[in-house]
């Protein structure tokens, strides 16, 4: 009887590694660049791990309606006398902004490979009950 469980081999499955979209994925992980988003002191904060980027050239942050969109693309080429190599990859992520997000005052910064986007949240409009007449 044959087993459906893959057996470890001496060499990793190179095709699977190459399909992963390196440098934005980890081996065996199909998720793109890691992000986190949370509320902090009246702000909505999104942080994305984007190492080795030129923030002015490679990273773009936009607001489209109620969505915050982060895109990034990197192309890197190395040449010396004996060989050359290149790597490339792109990243795109869209998240829904919370109710009350002040999209006119979004700020973005990049430091140590981490993109941080801060969106102030205006005081949330609270619902009210509407009387029903009969």
């Amino acid at each position: 009887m044959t087993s459906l469980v893959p057996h470890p081999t001496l060499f990793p499955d190179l095709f699977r590694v190459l399909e992963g979209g390196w440098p934005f994925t980890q081996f065996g992980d199909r998720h793109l660049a890691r992000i986190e988003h949370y509320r902090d002191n009246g702000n909505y904060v999104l942080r994305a791990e984007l190492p080795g980027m030129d923030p002015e050239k490679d990273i773009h942050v936009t607001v489209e309606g109620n969505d915050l969109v982060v895109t990034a693309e990197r192309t890197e080429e190395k040449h010396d006398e004996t060989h050359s190599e290149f790597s490339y990859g792109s990243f795109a992520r869209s998240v829904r902004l919370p109710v009350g997000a002040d999209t006119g005052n979004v700020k973005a910064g990049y430091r140590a490979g981490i993109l941080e986007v801060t969106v102030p949240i205006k005081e949330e409009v609270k619902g009210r009950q509407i009387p029903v007449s009969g």
Side-chain angles (χ1 to χ4, degrees):
M1 176 177 222
T2 60
S3 172
L4 296 177
V5 178
H7 296 286
T9 61
L10 180 59
F11 299 102
D13 184 351
L14 294 179
F15 292 111
R16 183 170 292 167
V17 170
L18 293 174
E19 289 173 353
W22 186 87
F24 297 109
T25 59
Q26 294 181 331
F27 294 107
D29 186 0
R30 302 302 286 174
H31 296 285
L32 295 175
R34 289 184 232 165
I35 71 162
E36 65 177 348
H37 50 105
Y38 53 90
R39 290 183 185 219
D40 183 39
N41 294 324
N43 293 307
Y44 175 82
V45 179
L46 178 134
R47 292 171 27 101
E49 194 175 73
L50 299 170
M53 297 281 182
D54 177 344
E56 295 175 8
K57 183 177 89 174
D58 300 333
I59 300 172
H60 305 282
V61 177
T62 58
V63 174
E64 298 174 8
N66 294 325
D67 295 328
L68 177 68
V69 180
V70 177
T71 57
E73 185 168 1
R74 177 169 78 172
T75 302
E76 183 177 355
E77 296 183 30
K78 295 179 184 178
H79 300 278
D80 64 27
E81 292 180 14
T82 60
H83 77 285
S84 67
E85 62 182 83
F86 68 94
S87 64
Y88 59 91
S90 61
F91 165 80
R93 185 71 186 259
S94 173
V95 295
R96 178 77 52 179
L97 290 170
V99 173
D102 183 1
T103 58
N105 290 306
V106 178
K107 291 185 173 43
Y110 181 82
R111 195 175 96 187
I114 305 293
L115 170 70
E116 184 170 299
V117 182
T118 304
V119 183
I121 301 174
K122 300 174 190 173
E123 186 175 321
E124 290 187 36
V125 178
K126 297 186 178 178
R128 63 182 179 93
Q129 183 152 357
I130 310 297
V132 179
S133 60

